[in-house]
């Protein structure tokens, strides 16, 4: 028996190998390795795909989020010590982008139904220092609700989207990444739209923000050798842009395949000890992750490992319990902590075979018999 991988990246890449090889060679032979045609094309096409006026490529998803907050600080919209409301159960990068800028994350619990920020708990977290709500479309499911939009309007808060896990997800006709004031995207290899190395982008309709982000990610410079900000080198690699141009064309097909895997799982996993993800008609899911929950999560994971099925926990420890955030270690966030104790991510990718999916389903239904 061969191991069913959580994500077989080699197979994901092999599917488009000819096109990828051609794109890489074309870039190598072009003699132009940064901020060239591939970057330009990717920024144009990705902005069009997401439905925003602007897209700025950058080095990775963490930087994309860092630049959004930093740009708002440079623009005078936010200042150090201001508060940003954020779901407590996100990946650490969302929180790092906030603290890196001297801003304060205010953790809000997620809903146990959707694992997305609980919109009924946002308003009570607003203070005079709150400047933004940063939603995270976690696991590939839309986190936005009309109520969140209303709260942002009422208190004049920026709405920032962490769209690292949800490229292609749609909310009422709009792609996530085009709903708020700005969005950060990651193209880490394992993401739904993955490069073959690090890459990221910011999307926005705000021209000033777009220009500021572009300058910050390029040494703080609008004009060669003129430095407006103490920026960094956080440019999108030209070869990665060329690869992303290939993969963007196939993204919707790959998402359709992910949805098919999810449908098989949802229709066929009947073990009452396993809680399946819930999808409502208002919050689509592009299944970057297929998260299940189980009280005996660790036992289930060991059983699946013994059955040659690889799973991953997203995530074992929430940000507020991490050593780097000692000041928040004593905080009590029971819903978040419960999710971190019970969550398990099943194999999910556009290259899983029906046989592999069936093996996972059979193993899960047999568990605890
Ligand atoms: C992957 C991810 C990021 C960071 O992306 P990198 O490209 O790895 O820096 C940010 N937020 C979330 C929710 C992510 O899953």
């Amino acid at each position: 028996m061969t191991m069913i991988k959580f994500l077989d990246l080699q197979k994901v890449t092999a599917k488009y190998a000819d096109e990828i090889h051609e794109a890489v060679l074309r870039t190598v032979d072009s003699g132009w390795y940064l901020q060239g045609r591939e970057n330009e094309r990717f920024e144009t096409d990705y902005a069009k795909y997401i439905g925003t006026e602007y897209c700025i490529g950058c080095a990775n998803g963490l930087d994309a989020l860092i630049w959004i907050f930093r740009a708002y600080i440079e623009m005078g919209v936010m200042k150090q010590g201001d508060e940003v409301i954020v779901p407590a159960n996100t990946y650490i990068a969302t929180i790092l982008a906030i603290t890196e800028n001297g801003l304060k994350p205010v953790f809000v619990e997620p809903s146990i139904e959707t694992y997305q920020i609980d919109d009924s708990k946002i308003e009570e977290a607003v203070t005079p220092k709150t400047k933004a709500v940063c939603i995270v479309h976690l696991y590939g499911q839309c986190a936005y609700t009309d109520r969140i939009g209303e709260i942002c309007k009422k208190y004049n808060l920026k709405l920032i989207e962490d769209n690292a896990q949800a490229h292609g997800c749609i909310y009422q006709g709009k792609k996530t990444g085009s709903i708020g004031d700005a969005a950060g995207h990651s193209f880490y290899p394992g993401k739904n739209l993955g490069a073959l190395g690090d890459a990221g982008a910011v999307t926005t309709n705000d021209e000033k923000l777009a220009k500021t982000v572009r300058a910050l990610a390029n040494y703080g410079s609008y004009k060669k050798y003129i430095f407006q900000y103490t920026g960094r080198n956080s440019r999108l690699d030209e070869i990665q842009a060329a690869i992303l141009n290939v993969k963007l064309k196939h993204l919707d097909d790959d998402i359709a395949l992910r949805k098919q895997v999810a449908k098989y799982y949802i229709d066929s996993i009947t073990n009452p000890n396993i809680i399946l993800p819930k999808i409502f008609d208002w919050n689509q899911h592009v299944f970057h992750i297929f998260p299940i929950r189980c009280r005996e999560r660790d036992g289930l994971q060991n059983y699946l490992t013994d059955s040659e099925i690889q799973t991953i926990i997203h995530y074992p420890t929430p940000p507020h319990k991490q050593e780097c955030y000692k000041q928040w270690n004593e905080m009590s966030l029971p819903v978040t902590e419960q999710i971190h104790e019970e969550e398990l991510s099943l194999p999910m990718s556009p290259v899983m075979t029906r046989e592999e999916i069936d093996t996972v389903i059979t193993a899960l239904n047999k568990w605890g018999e």
Side-chain angles (χ1 to χ4, degrees), residues 53 62 175 194 225 362:
E53 204 63 36
L62 172 59
K175 293 248 170 64
Y225 302 132
T362 307

Side-chain angles (χ1 to χ4, degrees), residues 26 53 66 85 125 193 196 212 237 270 284 320 346:
R26 185 176 68 224
E53 204 63 36
I66 287 176
I85 290 172
L193 176 59
L196 304 187
T212 311
D237 186 276
T270 53
Q284 266 206 16
H320 74 281
L346 299 186

Side-chain angles (χ1 to χ4, degrees), residues 170-172 279-284:
I170 295 171
Y171 177 82
Q172 294 183 358
I279 304 110
F280 303 91
D281 50 10
W282 52 268
N283 68 346
Q284 266 206 16

Side-chain angles (χ1 to χ4, degrees), residues 60-63 65 90-91 93-94 136 138 162 164-165 186-188 191 198-199 315:
N60 55 66
L62 172 59
D63 277 5
L65 293 166
T90 183
Y91 179 57
T94 325
V136 181
L138 197 71
D162 181 339
Q165 303 190 358
S186 163
F187 310 117
Y188 174 84
K191 299 285 158 80
D198 279 315
Y315 300 89

Side-chain angles (χ1 to χ4, degrees), residues 244-272:
L244 288 168
N245 282 327
V246 170
K247 294 188 77 180
L248 179 58
K249 283 190 293 183
H250 302 291
L251 178 59
D252 284 338
D253 291 339
D254 284 342
I255 289 171
L257 291 168
R258 286 177 180 273
K259 286 185 177 172
Q260 216 169 67
V261 177
K263 188 172 169 12
Y264 287 146
Y265 279 154
I266 289 169
D267 289 348
S268 313
I269 298 170
T270 53
N271 191 324

Side-chain angles (χ1 to χ4, degrees), residues 270-271 274 300 303 359-369:
T270 53
N271 191 324
I274 290 167
L300 176 59
Y303 160 81
T359 306
V360 176
I361 291 166
T362 307
L364 284 169
N365 287 341
K366 265 195 193 150
W367 183 62
E369 258 183 5

